């Protein structure tokens, strides 16, 4: 496969959830604009982090990529080909998910061995020696010696060990992609790093393509090669991790970073976190961040910002990065030339 073809790619993914608003005869169904034209790519041997506050649409993007839910618009491509609709076994074998709560994702009545044997058997992965395959999986997630763990029930394990079992179960089917949705958020702070290092190991040794979903930009900076920042259902900035954290271009990224100080980095301009994320059934006009943005201009309230390429693979959707003359031209209804739609940019990468 060409090095330029991502293992898994979402292009212009858009998802609405219809929810009931009001009561009685006045009740009506309104769309929640959960994800709006989000493009993201996952490459072999790389971690892409999807970062944003709660409600930003991260889990929805993860579920769209895993084919657990269908997009209203946009495409999912596996190795450059349109992914099948639904989540057939062949797709599940290549794209696996790990969830936030390892306790909820493991069946309390079954021992560790059972959790690993099932996917091995369903996908015919054991090569005739189930016990050896189980032991190998446990070693790969650093649960050693494996014999100490096969007979344990989930409640007999620590949170970190449970999450390792959930990761081992995902690995059982030899996926190319692992989508980890807030995999360390529910773990004790003291064991988070160990699980993040395990994910980094799997990326490096097994060349997995990893999507790391998190609200914590500091952990994204630690683990990820590329960071994608979402706000209120939209992609606001994406760049290689170092570029994004050293030179955050979008005021929202700057806000996230200022809330997660790093002793090694000069502080970005301090921003007050004014207000909270907006309702997604009636998102703000123009740039969805404008009500909270300390730099908001008139145009930000009226027009959706174009996605601007600032550096190699560094893209921000923000009017601040559009040349003032072009901004003015755009206000007057003339054609904008500097802004590139994000999908074109991400196709070039
Ligand atoms: N099944 C659903 N039905 C209705 N609304 C949903 C559903 N799933 C998510 N949402 C809404 O979509 C938005 C994005 O949610 P989510 O993707 O879970 O965000 P995140 O993972 O970033 O916290 C939120 O406003 C959430 O309430
Ligand atoms: Mg979530």
């Amino acid at each position: 496969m060409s090095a330029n073809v991502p293992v898994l790619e979402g292009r212009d993914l858009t998802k609405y959830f219809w929810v009931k608003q009001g009561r009685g005869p006045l009740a009506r169904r309104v769309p929640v604009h959960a994800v709006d034209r989000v493009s993201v790519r996952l490459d072999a041997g790389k971690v892409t982090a999807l970062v944003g506050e709660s409600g930003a649409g991260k889990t929805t993007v993860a579920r769209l990529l895993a084919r657990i839910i269908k997009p209203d618009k946009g495409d999912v491509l596996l190795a450059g080909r349109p992914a099948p609709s639904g989540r057939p076994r062949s797709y599940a074998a290549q794209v696996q998910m790990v969830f936030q709560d390892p306790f909820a994702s493991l069946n309390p009545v079954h021992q560790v061995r059972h959790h690993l044997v099932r996917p091995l058997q369903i996908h015919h992965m054991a090569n005739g020696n189930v016990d050896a395959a189980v032991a190998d999986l446990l070693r790969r997630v650093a649960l050693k010696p494996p014999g100490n763990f096969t007979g344990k029930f989930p409640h007999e394990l620590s949170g970190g060990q449970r999450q390792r079992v959930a990761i081992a179960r995902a690995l059982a089917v030899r996926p190319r992609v692992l989508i980890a949705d807030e995999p360390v958020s529910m773990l004790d702070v003291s064991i988070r790093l160990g699980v993040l290092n395990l994910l980094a190991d799997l990326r490096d040794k097994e060349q997995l393509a990893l999507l790391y979903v998190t609200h914590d930009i500091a952990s994204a900076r630690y683990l990820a090669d590329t960071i994608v920042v979402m706000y209120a259902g939209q992609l606001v900035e994406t760049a290689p991790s170092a570029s994004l954290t050293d030179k955050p271009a979008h005021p929202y990224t700057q806000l996230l970073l200022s809330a997660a100080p790093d002793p090694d980095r000069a502080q970005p301009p301090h921003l007050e976190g004014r207000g909270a994320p907006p309702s997604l059934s009636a998102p703000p006009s123009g740039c969805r961040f404008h009500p909270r943005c300390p730099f908001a201009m008139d145009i930000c309230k009226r027009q959706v910002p174009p996605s601007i390429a600032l550096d190699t693979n560094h893209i921000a959707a923000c009017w601040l990065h559009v040349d003032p003359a072009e901004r003015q031209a755009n206000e007057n209804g003339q054609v904008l030339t500097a802004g590139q739609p994000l999908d074109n940019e991400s196709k070039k990468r």
Side-chain angles (χ1 to χ4, degrees):
M1 188 175 53
S2 153
N4 290 325
V5 178
V7 178
L8 188 65
E9 187 179 9
R11 280 193 195 157
D12 284 331
L13 294 173
T14 296
K15 181 72 187 176
Y16 307 114
F17 293 107
W18 290 85
V19 297
K20 212 165 118 185
Q21 206 172 61
R23 281 157 187 262
L26 293 179
R28 59 197 179 109
R29 275 156 54 81
V30 297
V32 173
H33 300 240
V35 170
D36 183 40
R37 285 170 293 137
V38 169
S39 295
V40 53
R41 61 175 285 164
L42 308 181
D43 294 285
K46 301 278 182 214
V47 175
T48 302
L50 192 55
V51 180
E53 284 162 294
S54 171
K58 306 180 299 295
T59 293
T60 304
V61 169
R63 293 168 75 214
L64 287 167
L65 291 172
R67 288 303 228 193
I68 294 168
I69 54 173
K70 267 195 229 159
D72 289 295
K73 287 187 217 128
D75 301 297
V76 176
L77 296 109
L78 183 62
R81 294 202 202 93
S85 59
R87 187 173 160 79
R89 194 171 284 175
S90 60
Y91 192 80
Q94 300 193 62
V95 182
Q96 281 284 304
M97 267 193 95
V98 172
F99 300 94
Q100 180 170 358
D101 182 358
F103 217 21
S105 63
L106 300 176
N107 187 332
V109 307
H110 290 304
Q111 297 168 335
V112 167
R113 184 177 186 282
H114 177 93
H115 285 100
L116 302 182
V117 165
R118 260 184 68 80
L120 287 170
Q121 286 178 336
I122 290 171
H123 293 268
H124 309 290
M125 291 292 182
N127 284 337
N129 191 343
V130 174
D131 288 325
V134 166
D136 176 57
L137 284 170
L138 289 170
R139 269 187 227 106
R140 279 157 69 197
V141 297
L143 292 176
K144 292 185 255 192
N148 284 2
F149 294 94
T150 46
K152 292 250 164 77
F153 289 93
H155 73 267
E156 297 176 299
L157 302 171
S158 72
Q161 290 170 340
R162 279 198 288 270
Q163 196 58 298
R164 285 169 192 269
V165 171
I167 293 168
R169 181 179 55 184
L171 294 178
V173 301
R174 296 189 205 134
R176 304 161 79 178
V177 178
L178 195 63
I179 296 176
D181 190 359
E182 305 264 10
V184 301
S185 304
M186 289 186 64
L187 305 181
D188 284 349
V189 174
S190 59
I191 53 175
R192 284 182 189 169
L193 199 58
V195 173
L196 291 181
N197 287 339
L198 168 63
L199 293 175
D201 249 24
L202 294 172
R203 162 190 63 190
D204 299 337
K205 292 190 189 138
E206 312 205 3
Q207 289 294 297
L208 274 174
L210 248 149
L211 182 70
Y212 172 58
V213 174
T214 182
H215 62 272
D216 173 23
I217 198 165
S219 69
R221 176 168 52 207
Y222 178 76
L223 179 63
D225 301 279
T226 299
I227 297 180
V228 175
V229 180
M230 281 184 75
Y231 181 77
Q234 293 177 328
L235 197 162
V236 296
E237 185 166 0
T238 179
S241 292
S243 177
L244 186 122
T245 54
D246 292 347
K247 284 179 268 166
H250 196 287
Y252 179 62
T253 311
Q254 295 169 4
L255 175 71
L256 282 181
L257 283 164
S258 67
D262 173 354
D264 298 335
R265 175 178 45 83
Q267 288 295 308
H270 184 72
L271 296 171
E272 287 298 340
R274 299 184 296 185
S279 151
L280 294 182
S281 47
S285 59
C287 172
R288 290 185 181 180
F289 187 60
H290 87 254
R292 290 174 81 184
C293 183
F295 309 116
M297 302 171 283
D298 268 355
I299 194 169
C300 305
K301 298 170 192 163
R302 282 200 290 274
Q303 298 199 38
V304 175
S307 296
I308 306 295
L310 301 165
D311 204 341
T312 314
N313 297 333
H314 193 150
I315 295 164
C318 177
W319 282 114
L320 288 172
H321 299 284
V322 176
D323 181 71
E326 298 209 34
R327 218 153 53 205
Q328 191 57 48
N330 205 61
E331 278 271 58
N332 299 339
Q334 289 159 275
V335 179
L336 182 81
T337 51
Q340 293 277 343
L342 186 67
D343 54 331
N344 287 344
E345 278 307 319
S346 57
K347 276 174 207 156
K348 271 189 236 151
R349 277 185 286 147

